[in-house]
Amino acid sequence: MAIDLIALRAHFPSLRDGLAFFDGPGGTQTPRPVAHAIAATLSAPLSNRGAASPSELNAERAVAEFRAAYADLLAVPARGVVHGRSATQLTYDFSRHLAKGWAPGDEIVLSRLDHDCNVRPWIQAAERAGVTVRWIEIDAGTTELDLASYERALSSRTRLVAVTAASNVLGTKPPLRRIADLAHEAGALVYVDGVHYAAHALVDVPALGADLFVCSPYKFLGPHCGVLAAAPELLETLRPDKLLPSTDAVPERFEFGTLPYETLAGATAAVDFLAALDLAAEGTRRERLAHSLASLHEHETVLRAQLEDGLRALGDAVTVHAKAADRTPTLLITLEGRDARAGQAHLAARDVVAPAGSFYAYEPFTALKLPDPALRVGLAPYNTAQEVDRFLDGLASFL
């Protein structure tokens, strides 16, 4: 299994200027097929969905193809795929939908590892409902979740466990299946932030134990939007506030207003592009995704080892805060005696894009007392060994 990097990179117009992008966790570059799909949908006959005209049928097709693509990507039925403007918007929406069934005395469990997208909406919903918030803590020595604290937090009163599939700053991938099994034994639902995870692994929502799973196509070569996946049977039990004339069908009952058909087409094209990362991939789209994402994992593992070896060679001038045994190719680093934003600017002057900040990871930064800002280095499918060397050389010249 292998990815032809020369062929792959030829699809990305933004790479022509020589910039080396290490900001994939914040959003990847866009390949030409995704942009073409968006433009083709906008320029074709297009109107509200229906069956009476070519323009209506084009809209219907964009929606159906989007749901089918994300059913293949996430291993859920097409009726379990919900479009949203972003993962944050979807989480806010579903925090309100789910909180309708909460009452004082109920509890929810949140994780100190999570992006604030999977924290603040739940805290605010809990406050409105009079529900208690309990926490899964982080082990500072390993940057893993402390499962003992999780077991202490769970009870028969737990209604929801919200947890990330992978930290957007530390890369830590917690043992989701174990977390989900314990939550289900307690009678709780499991809401998983898969935004960072889905960019680096083949997702199987049922196998992970997630009841609701969100991701963001723009983190894996698609346009800016969000996707929520769940069993249609679960979605049938949730009653969102909505306009009276709007459909009550699942999943459309959760999608407010006219859908952005061009964005859906681009998001579909991103899944097809992922399935073709390894040109040797064959079979169904799901099978091609499995093959290509396995090849991506091999590619990113090699580059991550090169990156980590290079950082170690810089000695005490650099501290790498990502320590988990199972993690994505994303590193959070601080620079001894140097400002991370100045480091970002130094790298940018050398055409290397590596951002500094805390990246909405309020809970991890607070719990681990991480310096803010820190430098985040994240790999994407189009990164090369030569680019990793450029990053390391640029960083060394700053220290």
Side-chain angles (χ1 to χ4, degrees):
M1 295 189 293
I3 294 175
D4 183 338
L5 273 180
I6 294 175
L8 174 68
R9 287 171 61 88
H11 290 290
F12 291 84
S14 61
L15 302 183
R16 290 179 178 173
D17 293 336
L19 290 171
F21 294 95
F22 291 94
D23 61 342
T28 50
Q29 300 304 296
T30 306
R32 190 177 290 104
V34 171
H36 283 178
I38 293 169
T41 303
L42 281 172
S43 58
L46 194 63
S47 59
N48 283 332
R49 297 161 65 185
S53 70
S55 58
E56 292 174 337
L57 290 170
N58 283 343
E60 289 284 2
R61 186 179 304 110
V63 176
E65 291 179 353
F66 164 78
R67 298 206 202 283
Y70 283 81
D72 287 345
L73 181 70
L74 304 174
V76 297
R79 289 185 61 245
V81 174
V82 180
H83 168 270
R85 186 181 66 79
S86 67
T88 299
Q89 175 252 305
L90 284 164
T91 305
Y92 263 114
D93 284 350
F94 276 81
S95 72
R96 291 187 287 268
H97 305 334
L98 291 168
K100 288 184 175 184
W102 300 347
D106 290 342
E107 299 178 353
I108 63 172
V109 177
L110 308 180
S111 151
R112 299 287 188 194
L113 188 62
D114 274 70
H115 184 290
D116 215 49
C117 159
N118 205 29
V119 174
R120 218 56 47 191
W122 303 114
I123 288 177
Q124 292 161 358
E127 289 172 348
R128 289 190 295 270
V131 168
T132 299
V133 176
R134 302 201 180 279
W135 291 92
I136 315 173
E137 303 295 342
I138 305 177
D139 183 322
T142 64
T143 64
E144 306 270 11
L145 283 180
D146 178 356
L147 293 189
S149 72
Y150 175 51
E151 293 185 17
R152 290 193 297 271
L154 277 175
S155 76
S156 60
R157 298 183 297 277
T158 306
R159 297 294 170 258
L160 176 89
V161 175
V163 63
T164 187
S167 165
N168 72 309
V169 289
L170 299 168
T172 301
K173 295 194 287 186
L176 271 184
R177 185 75 222 197
R178 174 63 175 158
I179 290 169
D181 286 346
L182 290 171
H184 292 151
E185 287 173 14
L189 291 174
V190 178
Y191 189 100
V192 173
D193 171 5
V195 171
H196 189 59
Y197 180 89
H200 301 286
L202 181 70
V203 177
D204 186 326
V205 170
L208 291 173
D211 296 297
L212 302 114
F213 181 100
V214 288
C215 63
S216 300
Y218 75 99
K219 306 291 188 177
F220 44 86
L221 314 179
H224 288 80
C225 64
V227 178
L228 180 138
E233 296 78 13
L234 172 59
L235 295 178
E236 292 281 4
T237 68
L238 303 178
R239 312 301 305 186
D241 295 331
K242 66 179 190 65
L243 303 182
L244 184 61
S246 66
T247 180
D248 198 39
V250 166
E252 285 87 348
R253 72 167 66 157
F254 302 101
E255 297 167 334
F256 308 126
T258 301
L259 287 168
Y261 307 120
E262 67 280 5
T263 300
L264 300 186
T268 300
V271 173
D272 287 329
F273 193 89
L274 286 174
L277 284 179
D278 188 329
L279 298 176
E282 298 178 339
T284 66
R285 181 161 52 192
R286 178 70 180 179
E287 289 168 342
R288 287 181 282 118
L289 282 163
H291 185 112
S292 289
L293 290 172
S295 296
L296 175 63
H297 176 72
E298 291 180 3
H299 170 63
E300 292 181 334
T301 298
V302 170
L303 292 188
R304 191 186 100 182
Q306 177 189 353
L307 179 60
E308 290 174 333
D309 287 346
L311 290 172
R312 276 192 293 271
L314 296 175
D316 294 339
V318 175
T319 300
V320 178
H321 297 278
K323 303 173 185 176
D326 187 12
R327 52 192 168 88
T328 66
T330 295
L331 304 179
L332 190 75
I333 64 176
T334 49
L335 313 174
E336 184 64 31
R338 305 304 301 271
D339 179 75
R341 293 202 190 279
Q344 175 186 357
H346 179 86
L347 290 166
R350 288 152 182 78
D351 290 337
V352 176
V353 181
S358 55
F359 311 102
Y360 288 80
Y362 176 83
E363 297 300 335
F365 267 74
T366 302
L368 298 177
K369 299 180 173 60
L370 296 171
D372 182 5
L375 203 65
R376 182 176 67 181
V377 190
L379 298 172
Y382 40 73
N383 285 128
T384 68
Q386 293 76 17
E387 289 180 333
V388 171
D389 283 340
R390 281 176 58 194
F391 167 79
L392 292 169
D393 290 344
L395 188 62
S397 69
F398 176 70
L399 297 174

